[in-house]
Amino acid sequence: AMSFYPQIKQMQHAFTSLETSCPLPIIAAMHGYCVGAGVDLACCTDIRYCCDESVFSIREVKLGLAADIGTLQRLPKLIGHSSFLKELCYTGNDFDAVDARRIGFVSRVEPSVPSLISKAMEVANEISNVSPVAVVGTKKSLLYSRDHAVEEGLDHVALMNMSGLMTDDLMRSLLKKGGDEDVRFEPLLSHSRL
């Protein structure tokens, strides 16, 4: 049994890296069945949309296992430790798009796959048109604050914004807000390999 531990840890790391290694927001556009590892993966994304026909399940318990790739750790932080969450985790029962929206697992339910993809692309485009420094700083601060006290989160965002003020993004954002459509933000530098 212990021989599976390294494999489980490797899978956990792969999913966690979506949160920690990707500095830009990840949008999930889900349709059809999203079961087990699909829910694990969705929990690692920043924005979640689905179609009205989507079905979700934390099914591992029906296989004789506790969900081990991150749903039990991330989903309560996304939607709270509700009775409904525990029911889903203990039973492995399906929940639909209406329930997913009601509990806050998804922020939008679309009537079709084309409208789902269109909405996801629209929001991705909207995000791409604001300061990348602000977007990356916001994502880092949201993730940090999720796991730390409010005061620590405030210190973290203060440090992030100290760095952000050293860029031209604040001035460019103000120009863009003032109606200058020609304003473009500089792309972020790739991570150093040092």
Side-chain angles (χ1 to χ4, degrees), residues 1-183:
M2 287 302 292
S3 65
F4 288 110
Y5 182 79
Q7 293 169 317
I8 294 168
K9 292 302 289 179
Q10 184 178 22
M11 288 187 293
Q12 289 172 344
H13 176 73
F15 280 55
T16 298
S17 69
L18 291 172
E19 288 181 317
T20 59
S21 297
C22 182
L24 300 175
I26 300 171
I27 300 172
M30 302 168 284
H31 59 91
Y33 280 86
C34 182
V35 177
V39 174
D40 289 322
L41 183 61
C43 285
C44 296
T45 64
D46 300 286
I47 300 169
R48 290 168 300 284
Y49 300 149
C50 72
C51 281
D52 57 7
E53 44 74 323
S54 296
V55 177
F56 304 91
S57 179
I58 305 160
R59 185 92 29 106
E60 288 86 346
V61 72
K62 288 190 174 184
L63 301 174
L65 297 169
D68 58 1
I69 308 298
T71 293
L72 300 179
Q73 293 70 34
R74 290 185 181 95
L75 193 56
K77 291 182 179 192
L78 296 174
I79 68 169
H81 287 272
S82 67
S83 174
F84 188 63
L85 167 72
K86 292 173 184 174
E87 176 187 331
L88 294 172
C89 292
Y90 296 149
T91 65
N93 289 340
D94 292 347
F95 60 105
D96 62 16
V98 172
D99 284 332
R101 175 73 172 98
R102 181 178 55 78
I103 64 175
F105 182 58
V106 299
S107 55
R108 185 176 303 277
V109 176
E110 291 291 327
S112 67
V113 173
S115 67
L116 172 69
I117 301 303
S118 176
K119 178 46 89 173
M121 294 302 293
E122 177 186 323
V123 171
N125 188 51
E126 191 174 344
I127 292 168
S128 74
N129 283 308
V130 297
S131 162
V133 170
V135 170
V136 169
T138 297
K139 179 173 179 169
K140 287 184 178 297
S141 186
L142 284 168
L143 284 171
Y144 185 88
S145 294
R146 177 191 70 186
D147 300 326
H148 294 82
V150 172
E151 192 62 36
E152 293 171 301
L154 290 170
D155 286 342
H156 181 266
V157 75
L159 291 170
M160 295 293 297
N161 277 346
M162 280 177 21
S163 300
L165 289 170
M166 301 300 291
T167 72
D168 292 331
D169 280 24
L170 179 61
M171 182 56 68
R172 289 179 180 171
S173 294
L174 293 173
L175 289 171
K176 195 166 198 133
K177 184 152 179 59
D180 188 344
E181 294 299 321
D182 294 329
V183 173

